[in-house]
Amino acid sequence: MTAPGGEDGDAGGSGATGKDARGADATGKDTTTTRAVRAARRERVPLATVLTANAVSITGNSLTLIGVPWFALDTTGSPGKAGIVAFCAALPVLVSAIAGGPVVDRIGRRRVSIASDLVCALALAAIPLLHRAGLLEFWTLCALMAVNGLFHAPGEMARHVLVPDLARRAGTSLPRAASLYDAVARGARMTGAAVAGLLVAFMGADTVLVLDAATFGVSALLVAAGLRGVPAAEPVRDGPRLSPARYRADLREGYAYLFRARLLLGITVMVMVTNGLNQSWSAVLLPVHAREELGGPATQGLLVSVFGGCALVGALLYGAVGQRFPRRAVFTAGFLLGGAPPYLVAALTGTTAPLLVTLAAAGFGVGVLNPILTTVMYEQVPDALRSRVMGASTAGVLLTTPLGGLAAGFLVERAGLTATLLGIGGLYFLATLSPLLFPAWRGMDAPPPERRAEDGAAAAGPPVSSAEPSPPDPVPGPSGRTPRR
């Protein structure tokens, strides 16, 4: 006979045993899945850190982009002197880009990014502090902006060259990561410009510089915490020591590769020209036009913010569907739409609405450029040469930037704003025709060169130095590399 409740007891015991067994299995399976999910999330943290730090830093740059020209105009009253300040800020960026590529890998990308942000924070914070104390001279303003420019470029490049390794670690494809990287940057520029315009209008340009200094500090903290222990962010350990001869050889290697790659060289020359023209717009022409015709810095902030927002939409749209279309055609159309039209419309009208519509369309066109350029760059350049070639390319595209604001400031004082806008707009249009005229640009749509598995170098490319960054640990998932402009 079965004891009272025995069947229930047996059933309960049997059920408990089965539940325990199944629970153990289920628990074990859930634990394994949970661990895998957590591991995957950890692999995405470094990429998210770089994107966030870059967004914070670019937001600060947008504050500077509007705050410094207005600070110079308010304190000197001269477009020419505003151009000199822009020159002093841009020339050191070029110098550090020319010489910094080999140093970034040797010191370590994480260390360079942190040190760069901290120095920039101190330099920018000193400007309003000295001004409020009555101690800021014009030469001091120029010197502090030069320090900011000298240290800003290596930090930005250190974060930028990390993205391919971090995207591969996170299992993100190159075009998607390129679009995400650029979309984050565009969104940060849009936000920073809107905030800067309002702050300059209601609180003064010196307040904007204090906030910019704070953003550099936040960026440094993010990189310090989020990239700890990431192999690609650490200094080169196994290469030869960095002697003057080794440094010159590394530097020469990056430039030699750039000059041998016809497509990359063509991109560098074109962007070099347009960057100089862009600098004239942001540092002098738009601030002067906003002051004389559009009502002041709040309107300038609105214009830059709309441009950035539409560029963000363009970058996201390209990430979603852009891979279906030929790169060269999309790139050329984007540059023609985003290049000359704002200059011409600003020259021909003194009201906000036409320029606002033009900048919205221009932003949409410009938004597709960085994902394309960055994808091509990382497809064409071997991983082991990335910092050196990127340093050479960055130096090339920045070559005319110091002259852009300087020349625009003096042209406005001598020829007038309208004539300067028309002349620079015409030059911009001619520069953006180059992808249609030169055969090397057809390589944009060619498949990337094969990589040698043992060292990551291009099969037909120049020799790769043995002084290369340590590769990141392999991570399961699809491989990917990354982006910019």
Side-chain angles (χ1 to χ4, degrees), residues 143-383:
L144 289 171
M145 290 306 300
V147 171
N148 177 71
L150 183 66
F151 283 88
H152 171 66
E156 184 174 326
M157 184 172 66
R159 290 187 295 271
H160 178 56
V161 298
L162 267 173
V163 175
D165 294 303
L166 303 185
R168 185 162 49 242
R169 181 187 183 112
T172 303
S173 67
L174 172 58
R176 179 171 297 177
S179 298
L180 178 62
Y181 185 86
D182 192 59
V184 168
R186 299 291 184 186
R189 290 190 185 99
M190 174 185 64
T191 304
V195 172
L198 293 174
L199 288 176
V200 171
F202 295 106
M203 301 181 67
D206 53 351
T207 302
V208 172
L209 297 181
V210 172
L211 289 177
D212 191 9
T215 63
F216 277 109
V218 173
S219 177
L221 291 174
L222 287 170
V223 172
L227 296 185
R228 186 184 300 274
V230 176
E234 297 304 315
V236 172
R237 302 292 186 187
D238 53 354
R241 297 182 61 184
L242 184 61
S243 63
R246 180 69 260 169
Y247 174 80
R248 288 193 298 269
D250 287 351
L251 199 62
R252 187 165 53 248
E253 194 171 27
Y255 283 91
Y257 189 95
L258 180 63
F259 277 96
R260 292 175 188 174
R262 294 176 60 194
L263 174 59
L264 299 185
L265 183 61
I267 290 173
T268 300
V269 172
M270 177 182 176
V271 179
M272 175 186 71
V273 175
T274 58
N275 272 357
L277 303 179
N278 289 335
Q279 179 71 1
S280 71
W281 171 262
S282 61
V284 176
L285 298 179
L286 182 57
V288 173
H289 185 57
R291 185 181 66 170
E292 294 182 358
E293 303 286 350
L294 305 180
T299 303
Q300 182 188 351
L302 173 64
L303 292 170
V304 177
S305 180
V306 168
F307 177 87
C310 292
L312 169 62
V313 174
L316 292 174
L317 185 62
Y318 182 82
V321 300
Q323 300 176 58
R324 304 174 186 176
F325 303 97
R327 291 176 183 171
R328 185 168 70 125
V330 174
F331 181 84
T332 304
F335 237 137
L336 287 171
L337 185 62
Y343 296 85
L344 303 180
V345 172
L348 299 176
T349 181
T351 56
T352 301
L355 187 57
L356 187 67
V357 173
T358 304
L359 284 172
F364 184 80
V366 167
V368 306
L369 301 181
N370 281 0
I372 295 174
L373 289 178
T374 307
T375 301
V376 171
M377 178 66 71
Y378 285 119
E379 285 179 350
Q380 297 289 325
V381 179
D383 293 347

Side-chain angles (χ1 to χ4, degrees), residues 9-83:
D10 291 340
S14 176
T17 303
K19 186 177 180 180
D20 287 342
R22 290 191 301 271
D25 291 340
T27 302
K29 185 175 180 180
D30 289 344
T31 301
T32 303
T33 303
T34 301
R35 288 175 179 172
V37 170
R38 289 176 179 173
R41 287 177 179 173
R42 283 196 299 270
E43 299 297 348
R44 290 193 290 266
V45 166
L47 177 60
T49 296
V50 167
L51 293 175
T52 305
N54 216 41
V56 172
S57 180
I58 288 174
T59 300
N61 289 341
S62 297
L63 300 178
T64 300
L65 185 68
I66 292 179
V68 169
W70 279 97
F71 184 83
L73 287 171
D74 287 344
T75 55
T76 68
S78 168
K81 286 189 175 181

